Amino acid sequence: MIEFKQVTKKYDHGVIALDNISLKIEKGEFVFLVGPSGSGKSTFLKLVIKEEDPTSGNININSRDLSKLKDKDVPYLRRKIGFVFQDFRLLYDKTVAENIIFALRVIEASEREIRTQLSSVIKQVGLEGKENSYPNQLSGGEQQRVALARALATRPPIIIADEPTGNLDAVTAKGIMDTLYEINTKGTTVVVVTHDQNIIRASNKRVIALDKGKIVSDTKTGGVM
């Protein structure tokens, strides 16, 4: 669950990135976050993972008040959130399997857990046979699938995907979205930041639109914002 209560974020140079917004994303929901550049989407994501702190208001993630979270506990918060970046952020000197294993070693998973989860997520994202390939040997869509598999490997209750289809063709993008929809059906909360209106129109999912730091629309059905 993600809850913002009257959250404002004002930067030192005077820009108000988020202006008194309140919203709740329930456990197991699938939500699109949309808006033009400068609308506050990136700030929203940074606040969720406590990369930034709000100027005022409260943020609760899985019923934890982030204002009360000690610095030493922030890494544990982030382990509960799988983040899929638009630019993949893979380790290019490591294979597909090694990229996924790296995430599991960070959370100190056992060797048995690593073997089980590696096999599971490789199959889940359709990368069978690519385990020993390096990222530069893969297509953009395959690299995005590695990034998604790495995020899924630790079995986080929340997945946040920042423009996961931004650099992909329509067919590959649909495959990535179908995987995210499948993950959501198993109870994972999914938040997708996107500009792709075709994906939103086809989804019939909740869409939260930001503009100039304010929520300008919040609808349960897909459509143009």
Side-chain angles (χ1 to χ4, degrees):
M1 185 267 288
I2 300 170
E3 185 174 16
F4 278 46
K5 298 179 181 178
Q6 297 180 311
V7 171
T8 292
K9 177 61 180 180
K10 184 176 181 179
Y11 289 101
D12 291 341
H13 46 67
V15 171
I16 298 175
L18 291 177
D19 188 1
N20 195 37
I21 71 165
S22 295
L23 64 84
K24 181 184 285 188
I25 298 172
E26 299 288 356
K27 179 181 178 182
E29 248 194 301
F30 192 112
V31 176
F32 287 106
L33 184 65
V34 304
S37 296
S39 62
K41 301 188 304 298
S42 294
T43 298
F44 178 90
L45 299 184
K46 289 177 181 178
L47 290 172
V48 168
I49 61 173
K50 204 169 167 59
E51 190 174 304
E52 303 269 6
D53 292 318
T55 305
S56 61
N58 289 93
I59 300 169
N60 289 284
I61 306 295
N62 295 328
S63 300
R64 295 197 70 177
D65 185 343
L66 296 195
S67 68
K68 298 178 180 177
L69 202 64
K70 297 178 180 178
D71 289 346
K72 67 181 179 64
D73 293 325
V74 171
Y76 297 97
L77 165 74
R78 293 174 182 168
R79 289 179 189 181
K80 300 294 184 182
I81 302 171
F83 213 109
V84 183
F85 299 93
Q86 182 180 5
D87 58 358
F88 315 139
R89 300 197 187 182
L90 301 177
L91 302 170
Y92 284 83
D93 61 341
K94 295 186 181 296
T95 64
V96 168
E98 289 168 341
N99 266 275
I100 298 167
I101 289 169
F102 181 83
L104 289 163
R105 294 217 187 279
V106 167
I107 66 165
E108 301 177 346
S110 69
E111 291 302 316
R112 182 177 180 179
E113 288 174 316
I114 288 172
R115 288 193 299 272
T116 299
Q117 279 303 98
L118 177 62
S119 175
S120 175
V121 296
I122 286 286
K123 183 177 181 180
Q124 191 171 9
V125 303
L127 283 173
E128 298 98 324
K130 300 288 186 178
E131 293 90 340
N132 296 317
S133 298
Y134 287 88
N136 61 8
Q137 297 173 316
L138 304 176
S139 68
E142 289 169 333
Q143 290 186 55
Q144 187 62 285
R145 288 179 183 276
V146 179
L148 181 54
R150 184 179 57 189
L152 290 173
T154 57
R155 291 180 286 194
I158 298 171
I159 290 284
I160 294 176
D162 188 6
E163 296 285 359
T165 63
N167 299 317
L168 307 178
D169 62 80
V171 173
T172 305
K174 183 179 183 301
I176 293 293
M177 291 307 304
D178 285 345
T179 302
L180 288 168
Y181 294 140
E182 180 185 354
I183 292 162
N184 176 242
T185 64
K186 296 176 180 178
T188 302
T189 305
V190 179
V191 179
V192 175
V193 176
T194 186
H195 286 98
D196 192 332
Q197 290 292 337
N198 291 325
I199 288 173
I200 294 171
R201 288 190 191 96
S203 72
N204 199 37
K205 300 292 186 182
R206 180 181 176 189
V207 183
I208 299 172
L210 294 173
D211 192 15
K212 298 178 182 177
K214 291 183 177 292
I215 297 173
V216 294
S217 178
D218 186 349
T219 175
K220 293 289 186 180
T221 57
V224 180
M225 292 292 102

